[in-house]
Amino acid sequence: MEELNDFTEEKEESNFDLKAELFKYLVYWKWILLGFIIGGVLAYLYNRYTIPQYRTEATMIIVDDEKQNAMNATPSGGGAIFSLEDDGIQNHIEKLKSKKLVESVVDELNLNISYFIEGNVITVEAYQSSPVLIEFITNDSIVNTNSRDFVVTPTSETSFRLEDESLEYNADHKIGEVIELEGLQFVILPKSGKEQGSFGKTSSVNIVLEPVRDVAAEYISRLQITQKGQAKDILSLSIVQNTPEKSQDFLSKLMERFNEEGVMNNQEVAENTTKFIQDRLEMITTELDSVEVNIADFKRDNRIMDIGSGASEFQSKFSAAEQEIFNLETQLELLQSVEELLRSQGEYELLPDVGISEGGISGLVNSYNSLVVERNVYLEGGTEKNPVVKTLSEQLSGLRNNLFENIQSTRSSLNIQLRELSKRENVAQGQFSAFPGLEKGMRNIERQQQIKEQLYLFLLQRREEAAISSAATAAVARVIDTPFTYNSPVDPEPWIILVGGLLIGLIIPILIIFAKNFLDTKVHHKGDLSPLLKDVPFLAELPRIKPEETDVIQVNDRSPLAESFRILRTNLAYLVQNKDKTRGDVIFVTSTIKGEGKTFVSYNVSRTLASSNKKVLLIGADIRNPKLHRYTSDTVGAKEKGLSDYLYDYDVQVADIISKTNDHNIEVDVVLSGPIPPNPAELLMNDRMESLIEKSRANYDYIIVDTAPTMIVTDTLLISQLADYTLYVTRADYTEKALLDFPKELRKQGKLKGLAVILNDIDYSKFSYGAQYGYSYGYGYGYGEDNVSRWQRIKKRISNSN
């Protein structure tokens, strides 16, 4: 027997029934197919009744101000005054998505008013194709902050019904009638261009009014702007909506408004510069007139007409020094003008760039103007509490202080240079002691005149440049591709949705089945017994008995149950190798817990062995919970006394408890359990049980003992050494897998002798070998099966699978 155990262990360890594992899922093929169909239907309905979303895209290039500015045509280049430092492409993106800009677009296109036509299943937006229009009489500032939901249903060619569920309003009105509802005045009109007589046939129209701010926020969230091109100066604007025409109009108007505001910003800088230059010109004109009057008075008082002829030699020697002094004094005058402007104007106003390169003044002015414009942009969409505005304000304050400091330091530097040049001039003039004192006075007056004239001409030139810039300000961006919509919808994508729905419908039932199998702790088939079969041989599988079938085998029975017990008998013959033919074999039948079918197995094993002309004695040793009488209740001549009587009453003999049975010509002697005693364990421990078995060995080929469950009570273990072999019954869909270690431990401890396993109550329809195992494995014997047609066998196979 040990050799059989080793052989069985080696074979079972390498056996894995993949087909049976797969059929765990295939047995639920109806549910899997149903989930597959439902997933496909839901995906089809989603594709059919979901309004598709389309992507609309446009591209624009940001124009370089310094290259495109018309001021580059001016003699001085012009850009030094008016061109701002590049805001960066990210700043332009922020401007395009600013609340103020988007709200102006929404308001101009009336995108806060939507029209929907109610269909049988879905409601479709009728953008620019609505059969009715709403026109508000109330001020736009009030309309743009309101939220309303109207339903207009034409009742005739001149009237309609107006409904508002939120206000519980329902009334009939005439076309063109002024309606006042909750502070809003409006009229409903048929759309122009409609055929006469079509208004009354129009379906209900749902008019939705939303606050402009909310609609703008939705557009900002949908708007996608990305950089393109090698220089990253091309912007791609895209938006996804279910109304492509609305998206195209929005993007077109957005780019248009962006250009308009950019041009307005540039023109504002040019106008501020022109105003400043005009003020300075008026002041310089007054000063120049004063200097010319001084020259006339000086000549008249000193009675001279031309002083230059006597100083030609002096002028040739010191002309270079005088020119430098002139340039320095000009710079000082410009510094004085800029400083006065800084002190007189507000903190966040644009400054003119008058071309002072000394000390980096021009660069600071350009940076200051750039930050002022950027701050104004952010103020359009927010308040001064905005963290970005605060940061820009702090930077402007720092730049303003830097300007004052640079002006002071530059003035000091120019004064030092001026003093140095004056010293050189004084030294040179000392050499001309004979030069008339009039020359010096006259030259000072003429120098003032030249400075004023040069400054006057310089400002005139800048004023013209500013005028040209204001009149010919270039656009900040140029449209490359006007808005266009892709033909394929972004959502839903029909094939992806359909395939996804089918896969989800397929996967969900499989996952449910997987979870069910994963959480299942019961034994279902032979493969689940693998932890036990590594140490214990396996005898047979017994099929599940249908309600209309009997659970007792008969003579010449060819049912699946009878064939299974014949297989068990054959395997038992290999297990039972009794060389002493004079003594019968004692076979215990037990299980872990009650309800696993040990009594059922005991009775049918007895009948199967008896049908092969063997003398069999069946003993009901489960005296705590006897079940054997259920099969022998109709036995004629059954003895009144049972095993419990024999165990405690020494006067009862073996012949007094053995009942002869002949159920359908199968003779099996039976010892029933008898009355339930109060002390079954003590009774089984005495020598009467051993005496009964030893006396029966000489008269029977097999003694089958139906014992109590091993885990619940100790009765079986008390008499287990009396057995030659132990058949351990497990039940499909009943026995817990965790309990399989229990019989294995009992075998290792030597408490159960000749242990072998039987799997009872298998539902073969759940496994790959299914109905074929039940009725087709008999190879046709039975004298009628071979005559059944193939079509009848197929129908029977289908009916068995169902």
Side-chain angles (χ1 to χ4, degrees):
M1 186 178 70
E2 295 300 329
E3 293 178 358
L4 178 62
N5 289 346
D6 295 340
F7 173 77
T8 305
E9 175 183 348
E10 180 181 356
K11 189 171 184 179
E12 289 297 334
E13 189 171 5
S14 61
N15 184 24
F16 175 72
D17 195 348
L18 177 61
K19 192 174 181 181
E21 291 296 323
L22 292 177
F23 209 76
K24 287 181 181 180
Y25 298 90
L26 296 180
V27 71
Y28 299 103
W29 66 269
K30 294 179 181 179
W31 292 105
I32 295 175
L33 179 61
L34 179 63
F36 185 78
I37 294 174
I38 291 175
V41 170
L42 292 178
Y44 170 78
L45 294 176
Y46 182 85
N47 288 331
R48 175 67 178 82
Y49 295 110
T50 299
I51 301 175
Q53 303 274 335
Y54 294 92
R55 178 183 297 278
T56 302
E57 187 173 334
T59 53
M60 60 188 298
I61 184 171
I62 301 300
V63 178
D64 188 347
D65 290 341
E66 294 185 358
K67 294 181 179 180
Q68 299 297 329
N69 202 316
M71 291 294 294
N72 290 317
T74 60
S76 65
I81 292 182
F82 306 106
S83 64
L84 303 178
E85 291 184 356
D86 186 12
D87 291 337
I89 196 70
Q90 191 60 39
N91 289 340
H92 290 295
I93 293 175
E94 293 299 327
K95 292 175 186 176
L96 282 165
K97 300 182 74 172
S98 64
K99 290 182 180 179
K100 181 180 179 182
L101 181 62
V102 177
E103 285 179 8
S104 66
V105 173
V106 171
D107 186 28
E108 186 172 350
L109 295 177
N110 290 327
L111 298 180
N112 59 319
I113 304 175
S114 303
Y115 301 88
F116 299 92
I117 297 179
E118 299 178 358
N120 294 328
V121 179
I122 59 175
T123 300
V124 181
E125 183 175 359
Y127 178 70
Q128 294 184 346
S129 61
S130 172
V132 299
L133 297 176
I134 185 171
E135 291 188 3
F136 288 95
I137 302 174
T138 308
N139 191 280
D140 288 345
S141 60
I142 299 176
V143 174
N144 291 343
T145 58
N146 267 272
S147 178
R148 289 287 186 271
D149 192 340
F150 304 122
V151 176
V152 176
T153 305
T155 56
S156 69
E157 295 301 323
T158 58
S159 61
F160 59 89
R161 180 180 298 107
L162 181 66
E163 301 177 38
D164 189 333
E165 291 185 0
S166 61
L167 301 177
E168 297 182 355
Y169 181 83
N170 189 337
D172 292 332
H173 297 277
K174 297 291 185 180
I175 292 178
E177 177 185 348
V178 177
I179 304 171
E180 184 171 356
L181 190 60
E182 287 293 316
L184 290 179
Q185 287 186 331
F186 56 91
V187 295
I188 301 295
L189 300 172
K191 185 175 181 180
S192 58
K194 283 286 183 181
E195 295 181 4
Q196 187 175 3
S198 63
F199 179 77
K201 303 175 183 179
T202 303
S203 301
S204 296
V205 179
N206 184 203
I207 304 176
V208 178
L209 172 66
E210 299 176 88
V212 170
R213 182 176 293 272
D214 295 346
V215 177
E218 182 180 355
Y219 271 93
I220 291 173
S221 65
R222 289 175 176 268
L223 181 62
Q224 299 293 327
I225 303 177
T226 56
Q227 298 174 232
K228 296 173 65 176
Q230 186 174 0
K232 302 294 184 181
D233 57 349
I234 297 176
L235 296 181
S236 173
L237 289 75
S238 64
I239 190 170
V240 176
Q241 286 191 132
N242 52 27
T243 311
E245 296 82 4
K246 181 185 288 188
S247 301
Q248 293 174 5
D249 291 346
F250 171 76
L251 291 180
S252 296
K253 184 58 66 174
L254 181 66
M255 293 187 293
E256 180 183 335
R257 293 288 298 156
F258 173 75
N259 260 329
E260 290 176 358
E261 291 201 0
V263 171
M264 288 173 59
N265 288 336
N266 291 339
Q267 287 179 344
E268 183 180 356
V269 175
E271 290 171 359
N272 289 338
T273 303
T274 302
K275 183 177 180 300
F276 167 77
I277 293 175
Q278 185 61 37
D279 294 338
R280 297 303 300 168
L281 279 174
E282 294 176 359
M283 184 170 29
I284 295 299
T285 300
T286 303
E287 294 176 355
L288 186 59
D289 291 342
S290 176
V291 172
E292 291 177 348
V293 170
N294 290 338
I295 292 175
D297 292 341
F298 183 85
K299 289 183 177 182
R300 184 175 58 253
D301 293 341
N302 292 280
R303 298 181 179 180
I304 57 174
M305 293 299 295
D306 185 14
I307 303 175
S309 58
S312 58
E313 184 178 355
F314 175 80
Q315 185 176 5
S316 62
K317 291 181 179 181
F318 301 103
S319 59
E322 290 177 352
Q323 182 62 39
E324 289 183 11
I325 292 173
F326 163 75
N327 291 336
L328 291 176
E329 290 179 347
T330 301
Q331 294 290 325
L332 287 172
E333 286 287 334
L334 291 173
L335 284 175
Q336 181 66 27
S337 301
V338 173
E339 185 176 15
E340 291 176 0
L341 179 62
L342 272 174
R343 297 185 184 281
S344 62
Q345 73 175 12
E347 290 185 356
Y348 307 115
E349 295 183 9
L350 296 170
L351 294 175
D353 186 355
V354 292
I356 302 176
S357 59
E358 192 72 25
I361 302 298
S362 180
L364 289 174
V365 169
N366 287 336
S367 298
Y368 185 89
N369 286 341
S370 177
L371 290 177
V372 169
V373 172
E374 187 174 355
R375 181 178 179 274
N376 291 338
V377 169
Y378 281 104
L379 281 176
E380 291 175 356
T383 65
E384 292 185 353
K385 294 182 180 180
N386 190 322
V388 178
V389 175
K390 288 182 177 180
T391 302
L392 293 174
S393 299
E394 292 173 1
Q395 294 177 3
L396 286 170
S397 299
L399 277 177
R400 189 179 183 88
N401 293 333
N402 289 341
L403 275 172
F404 279 114
E405 293 175 1
N406 280 25
I407 289 173
Q408 294 296 333
S409 62
T410 302
R411 181 184 290 114
S412 299
S413 175
L414 292 177
N415 285 329
I416 292 172
Q417 297 178 39
L418 188 60
R419 284 195 297 271
E420 186 64 28
L421 288 174
S422 297
K423 288 179 182 180
R424 289 169 52 191
E425 186 180 32
N426 291 335
V427 172
Q429 287 180 354
Q431 297 176 0
F432 299 95
S433 58
F435 192 81
L438 295 175
E439 184 71 22
K440 182 177 180 181
M442 188 63 187
R443 186 165 298 279
N444 287 334
I445 298 173
E446 289 178 347
R447 182 184 298 155
Q448 292 180 12
Q449 182 186 28
Q450 291 175 1
I451 291 173
K452 302 299 180 183
E453 287 178 349
Q454 289 292 335
L455 185 58
Y456 183 79
L457 293 175
F458 176 79
L459 291 175
L460 282 177
Q461 180 182 352
R462 293 299 185 183
R463 185 178 67 180
E464 292 303 317
E465 291 174 355
I468 295 173
S469 177
S470 178
T473 302
V476 296
R478 185 172 66 251
V479 176
I480 298 177
D481 288 326
T482 56
F484 65 95
T485 302
Y486 292 97
N487 293 328
S488 301
V490 176
D491 180 50
E493 298 185 27
W495 282 109
I496 294 179
I497 297 296
L498 184 59
V499 172
L502 293 173
L503 289 178
I504 292 174
L506 182 66
I507 290 172
I508 287 178
I510 292 177
L511 289 178
I512 294 174
I513 297 169
F514 172 79
K516 175 181 176 296
N517 293 336
F518 182 78
L519 298 174
D520 187 9
T521 60
K522 304 290 185 181
V523 172
H524 298 286
H525 55 83
K526 181 180 176 182
D528 292 334
L529 297 175
S530 56
L532 179 60
L533 298 184
K534 292 179 181 179
D535 302 301
V536 179
F538 184 78
L539 283 188
E541 297 174 333
L542 305 179
R544 177 166 296 176
I545 302 171
K546 297 180 180 180
E548 67 275 10
E549 297 176 344
T550 179
D551 59 350
V552 177
I553 64 173
Q554 309 297 332
V555 177
N556 296 326
D557 192 347
R558 62 185 311 275
S559 67
L561 179 66
E563 293 297 340
S564 298
F565 274 100
R566 291 188 185 104
I567 293 174
L568 191 155
R569 180 183 62 190
T570 302
N571 292 336
L572 185 62
Y574 285 100
L575 180 66
V576 176
Q577 300 178 10
N578 187 1
K579 297 180 180 180
D580 188 359
K581 303 299 183 180
T582 62
R583 300 177 75 250
D585 294 303
V586 180
I587 301 174
F588 278 19
V589 180
T590 187
S591 63
T592 306
I593 57 177
K594 69 175 184 177
E596 293 179 300
K598 59 182 181 55
T599 304
F600 160 76
V601 173
S602 302
Y603 187 70
N604 283 290
V605 165
S606 302
R607 292 177 63 80
T608 303
L609 293 173
S611 65
S612 60
N613 297 322
K614 300 292 183 181
K615 293 191 67 178
V616 180
L617 175 63
L618 175 59
I619 301 176
D622 188 1
I623 58 179
R624 292 178 186 266
N625 185 27
K627 296 291 184 181
L628 187 59
H629 63 278
R630 184 168 63 89
Y631 295 96
T632 60
S633 59
D634 297 333
T635 300
V636 178
K639 300 297 179 67
E640 296 180 356
K641 297 185 181 295
L643 179 62
S644 59
D645 297 296
Y646 177 80
L647 293 177
Y648 77 83
D649 187 355
Y650 283 81
D651 294 333
V652 177
Q653 302 300 316
V654 174
D656 297 335
I657 62 175
I658 296 177
S659 302
K660 302 289 186 178
T661 66
N662 188 0
D663 184 10
H664 292 82
N665 297 323
I666 298 179
E667 296 182 358
V668 177
D669 292 348
V670 178
V671 175
L672 297 177
S673 302
I676 300 175
N679 56 344
E682 287 73 11
L683 291 178
L684 290 171
M685 290 175 65
N686 63 37
D687 57 356
R688 295 279 286 173
M689 185 66 185
E690 182 178 359
S691 174
L692 172 62
I693 291 178
E694 288 301 325
K695 292 179 180 179
S696 301
R697 279 180 181 271
N699 301 321
Y700 294 95
D701 296 315
Y702 294 99
I703 297 96
I704 309 298
V705 182
D706 177 25
T707 64
T710 56
M711 178 173 280
I712 298 176
V713 294
T714 188
D715 298 0
T716 301
L717 299 180
L718 292 175
I719 60 175
S720 62
Q721 298 306 312
L722 302 177
D724 295 321
Y725 308 96
T726 303
L727 304 185
Y728 205 94
V729 179
T730 59
R731 182 177 177 182
D733 302 334
Y734 187 83
T735 302
E736 294 284 345
K737 295 178 181 178
L739 299 180
L740 297 179
D741 290 333
F742 184 72
K744 184 164 47 175
E745 291 297 324
L746 293 179
R747 179 185 181 277
K748 289 181 180 180
Q749 296 170 8
K751 294 181 178 180
L752 295 179
K753 297 173 62 177
L755 187 64
V757 178
I758 297 173
L759 181 57
N760 181 32
D761 198 26
I762 292 183
D763 185 2
Y764 288 119
S765 64
K766 294 183 178 180
F767 307 104
S768 57
Y769 31 93
Q772 289 184 353
Y773 187 92
Y775 290 97
S776 301
Y777 78 103
Y779 302 104
Y781 72 79
Y783 309 104
E785 188 71 20
D786 291 339
N787 296 327
V788 178
S789 67
R790 177 175 296 179
W791 173 242
Q792 290 175 327
R793 289 198 298 270
I794 292 174
K795 288 196 297 182
K796 180 183 291 186
R797 192 174 298 173
I798 294 174
S799 63
N800 290 335
S801 65
N802 293 333

